[in-house]
Amino acid sequence: MTAKANGNLPPLSLHVPEPKFRPGDAVDYSHIAVPLAGAQPRPDESCAAVEMHPLCLDLVRVLGEDDRAHGPWDPRLDAETLRRMLRTMALTRAFDDRMYRGQRQGKTSFYMKCTGEEATSVAPAMALAGDDMVFPSYRQQGILIARGYPMVEMINQIYSNRADKLKGRQLPIMYSAREASFFTISGNLATQYPQAVGWAMASAIKGDTRIAATWVGEGSTAEGDFHSAMTFATVYNAPVIFNVVNNQWAISSFSGFAGAERTTFAARAIGYGMAGLRVDGNDPLAVFAATQWAANRARANGGPTLIEHFTYRAEGHSTSDDPGQYRSAHEREEWPLGDPINRLKKHLIAIGEWSEDQHEAMDRELMEQVKAATKEAEKNGVLGHGLHHPFHTMFEDVFEELPWHLKEQSEQAIRERRIKWPEWSDSWKES
Amino acid sequence: MIEESPVSLADAPTRRLNMIEAINDALDIMMERDSNVVVMGEDVGYFGGVFRATAGLQKKYGKTRVFDTPISECGIIGVAVGMGAYGLRPVPEIQFADYIYPGLDQLVSEAARLRYRSAGEFIAPMTVRSPFGGGIFGGQTHSQSPEALFTHVAGLKTVVPSTPHDAKGLLIAAIEDNDPVIFFEPKRIYNGPFNGYYDKPVEPWAKHPDSVVPEGYYSIPLGKARTVREGQALTVLAYGTMVHVAAAVCAEKGVDAEIIDLRTLVPLDIEAIEASVEKTGKCLIVHEATRTGGFGAELSALVQERCFYHLEAPIERVTGFDTPYPHSLEWAYFPGPVRIGEAIDRLMKA
């Protein structure tokens, strides 16, 4: 169908967002406003949501260019806690590097790093109570690491081996760890948002004191579930923290395709009448302080908070992605908010609680720690090497009990196994 | 679980209830028994539901256990999944089955897979109640029978009661079940059984023996069919409203049919089906839903695979047509006595 000119009206034109830089382009981030650290006010946690609305358009920052902590959002953490935060973020990065390599070596099918975004999971995990329920997306492995979840269990899941607690059913990194109050990760984006609200509502129904926190990327805020969750959370004043990790990219689509050209993601809170905050996502102290603020508010029946973490996805979307195909390679080095680990490291050095030597020694130690965990996990097998869960487990947990049709199909799978792989001994349980 | 145990229930006092009252009674009993049961949905709270299924519950149990929700099926199902993960036993209502689709991702990708993908760490012990089916001049979006969308999903159970007695027992079982259950309530028979003769007055449930409902708690196991009528000439597989329509046509034609009300589509009572078709050698499947890809196709395939050498005639499927549910031509669309009668005639001649 071809449009016809209608009288003297100007023809309409469709706006299709376009990122500022494509492969090969020079990068100029001067359009990103980076306010002075410490310049943002910190309203009381019991304030009306509307008082927070200016902060939805601002950027809460604590760590300044001088590597010192500034302003009312400084959470005033002791040096020991700061070192633990640094170590946890560095461990998360070391884990990512090793697992990425493992995928390239064929030990597993898939991996996703969170490089550059470590603060957005580690700092909130440290600001929450250990039994607050988290509903993460696939890029918050830092929460499990911060909560001390065994790294070997994480690797078992990534390798889908015979010790994998999820029995090889789930794609690598889709962890589930109830004992760490870490909700089962789904491949379907943003579904965890209303679920977190439901969990928080349940906690309120029961008169519990625990709260929920959930994460999505900025790309997933476009899903309908985001809107449902925000509506339900405000309607019922649910004790939940919504995190939006705005890392600028949803695979190859820049944040403009989720609406970032017009406003911030934190500003979505304004329309729901919810408290909102936009923080420097590469400033671990700002992220910690924002979570602490929101958690205190939720725990006092003050209701939900939306936090946008302004950050940058430093690496590809996943091991299946090549960001060189759609964005400038210079973006990462030019990113105005720097690197979260480096910023906290420099802060600790600036206050005389850390040194380059200590940092190097820590990195070496963490690398060894991850390597040892990897070796331990590899004893249980890697993907495709035959050490996996018995066939019948494929049919379990579809329902609480096995109905007749799954029993029949289970018997079929075991019959097929004997034909397809007769060399496998029956020494380990096959059925 | 107790199947209508003669010991406990024969002496139990009974009441005559219509299907709405039976559902309301089941919700009341389960809310009383288990403080983790919460009821929510559009208009279910103060107002008591557009069909009155939740009438009086908010007053009795309070606003934090029975509450109205925003108009968001995605939100209703999504928060129910989260509540289930916490340890509650939510009973969300979707006002019409025609409006369940915005919640489909949460049902298919989340509720149905939670236990599997977390290896049992998290479960979704929720019961989604929803009025379904046609025959009420509901047009396109108040008449649909989308059960096949759910029977196709691994991890969901699908239940359709056809009497007040079953509605109460099955709903109690569904709420107690630790798996997510889609509980479709045929709204055409909320107030009385329907024989397919749209131009004749409808009898209320009060005149039907299956409106006699024991007081108090009882449950009917999911996965067990009910033999409505024993017979030798052919097997009729039906559920919901169509149980009554098919039974009326068989009676009118004087056919000695064995009528089986499936009650639960997943898990299916395959033993009851096999035993009956092996006895009769003929099988008629009746449902309101559209034909192509409908649950009847699954039933037909199963009967063909498992009873092939007993079959004396091709399996017949009487269903709605493969069109959206029409308004003015409702009775041309509805699989009523003429369509069922033709199929029976073909089977009996074979």
Side-chain angles (χ1 to χ4, degrees), chain A residues 225-411:
Chain A
D225 298 66
F226 178 84
H227 169 66
S228 299
M230 298 289 281
T231 303
F232 274 69
T234 41
V235 164
Y236 301 106
N237 204 43
V240 57
I241 302 171
F242 296 113
N243 295 284
V244 174
V245 181
N246 177 6
N247 66 11
Q248 317 300 322
W249 290 94
I251 308 186
S252 76
S253 302
F254 89 112
S255 56
F257 282 98
E261 286 183 324
R262 315 285 176 174
T263 187
T264 68
F265 292 97
R268 304 269 190 260
I270 298 172
Y272 295 96
M274 189 186 295
L277 262 169
R278 187 162 172 268
V279 302
D280 177 347
N282 290 14
D283 179 343
L285 298 187
V287 172
F288 183 97
T291 308
Q292 198 176 45
W293 188 95
N296 287 345
R297 182 177 177 85
R299 260 186 253 284
N301 281 311
T305 302
L306 174 69
I307 303 173
E308 173 185 351
H309 304 268
F310 196 69
T311 181
Y312 184 76
R313 195 193 76 208
E315 301 257 358
H317 167 71
S318 72
T319 48
S320 307
D321 180 41
D322 172 14
Q325 300 290 314
Y326 51 78
R327 69 183 190 186
S328 171
H330 304 297
E331 287 189 20
R332 179 178 178 171
E333 61 206 49
E334 295 293 326
W335 180 246
L337 301 178
D339 177 85
I341 295 177
N342 200 36
R343 281 174 72 186
L344 185 56
K345 170 186 148 187
K346 280 160 62 182
H347 173 58
L348 271 161
I349 292 174
I351 60 172
E353 293 287 351
W354 198 240
S355 70
E356 290 286 355
D357 286 349
Q358 278 175 297
H359 197 86
E360 266 178 45
M362 178 189 75
D363 273 344
R364 274 196 305 275
E365 186 199 329
L366 294 178
M367 209 175 72
E368 287 305 317
Q369 186 185 337
V370 176
K371 203 167 149 188
T374 309
K375 284 200 166 150
E376 187 63 30
E378 281 178 16
K379 287 181 193 162
N380 302 314
V382 297
L383 184 67
H385 285 213
L387 290 179
H388 48 66
H389 280 270
F391 277 39
H392 70 93
T393 61
M394 174 163 64
F395 301 92
E396 292 171 353
D397 297 327
V398 176
F399 297 102
E400 185 171 35
E401 288 164 18
L402 221 59
W404 64 270
H405 62 287
L406 288 180
K407 277 183 199 146
E408 288 187 0
Q409 291 167 28
S410 172
E411 285 157 16

Side-chain angles (χ1 to χ4, degrees), chain A residues 133 165 169-170 176-178 184 186 188 191 194-195 198 206 208 225 228 236 394 396-397 399-400 404 408, chain B residues 35-36 68-69 72 78-79 82-83 86 105-106 109-110 115-117 119 121-122 155 178-179 268 306:
Chain A
M133 190 73 181
K165 282 172 60 186
R169 291 173 186 156
Q170 267 282 46
S176 178
R178 192 182 175 93
T184 158
S186 170
N188 296 67
T191 50
Q195 293 164 2
K206 287 306 211 180
D208 197 344
D225 298 66
S228 299
Y236 301 106
M394 174 163 64
E396 292 171 353
D397 297 327
F399 297 102
E400 185 171 35
W404 64 270
E408 288 187 0
Chain B
S35 65
N36 289 322
D68 295 313
T69 64
S72 167
V79 301
M83 287 174 172
Y86 179 93
D105 189 36
Q106 286 287 348
S109 309
E110 302 298 318
R115 179 191 293 280
Y116 192 73
R117 77 170 195 234
E121 282 194 336
F122 297 96
N178 287 326
D179 293 314
L268 185 66
R306 303 170 91 93

